[in-house]
Structures are given as structure tokens and as C-alpha cells.
């Protein structure tokens, strides 16, 4: 018998989607369905954890502004 999974429709930029796909690629814990370039269905129960992981990834990839005073 088929099993239903509760999901949340997530629309985002392709760059953010690529990060989500990277996070999900090892264990497939988050994504239910990859719909198009900007849309995913995410497991509802995993959404808070995915948001946290995404924030961590974004914090690691953001560059700090150069404060060397290059005026």
C-alpha cells in the first residue's frame, strides 16, 4: 500500500535550491520531490532542520566585508 508523506512547497532562487540539493544529497532526508528550477517539495517534519542547515551553509559561504579602509 502506498505511503503518503506530508510536504511543504518551497519556492526559492536556483542558487538556494542548489544548496538545498547539496544538503540533501547524502541521506535524502529533506526533499520529497524536485519539481522545477525554483520549486521543491520538502518533508514538513524536516523543514525547521533544513532551515537551520541552510542558514549554516549560507553563513559559511558569505564573505566578510573588507574593513582595511581602502578609501
Amino acid at each position: 500500500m502506498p505511503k503518503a508523506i506530508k510536504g511543504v512547497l518551497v519556492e526559492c532562487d536556483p542558487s538556494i535550491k542548489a544548496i538545498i540539493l547539496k544538503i540533501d544529497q547524502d541521506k535524502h532526508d529533506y526533499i520529497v520531490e524536485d519539481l522545477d528550477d525554483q520549486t521543491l517539495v520538502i518533508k514538513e517534519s524536516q523543514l525547521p532542520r533544513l532551515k537551520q542547515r541552510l542558514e549554516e551553509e549560507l553563513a559559511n559561504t558569505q564573505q566578510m566585508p573588507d574593513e582595511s579602509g581602502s578609501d
Side-chain angles (χ1 to χ4, degrees), residues 19-30:
I19 296 171
I20 294 171
L21 290 171
K22 180 182 158 222
I23 291 171
D24 187 64
Q25 80 185 51
D26 291 334
K27 295 183 181 178
H28 305 290
D29 286 341
Y30 304 103

Side-chain angles (χ1 to χ4, degrees), residues 15-16 18-20 22-23 53-65:
S15 59
I16 299 297
I19 296 171
I20 294 171
K22 180 182 158 222
I23 291 171
R53 294 270 316 266
L54 183 58
E55 287 175 7
E56 290 170 4
E57 284 289 324
L58 290 173
N60 290 336
T61 58
Q62 287 180 344
Q63 295 179 355
M64 298 303 288

Side-chain angles (χ1 to χ4, degrees), residues 9 14 22 25 29 31 35 42 44 46-47 58:
L9 187 65
K22 180 182 158 222
Q25 80 185 51
D29 286 341
I31 298 174
L35 299 176
I42 303 294
E44 184 179 45
Q46 296 294 333
L47 187 61
L58 290 173

Side-chain angles (χ1 to χ4, degrees), residues 10-21 36-40 54 58:
V10 175
E11 293 183 75
C12 56
D13 292 332
S15 59
I16 299 297
K17 182 183 170 194
I19 296 171
I20 294 171
L21 290 171
D36 63 27
D37 291 342
Q38 297 181 339
T39 313
L40 296 163
L54 183 58
L58 290 173

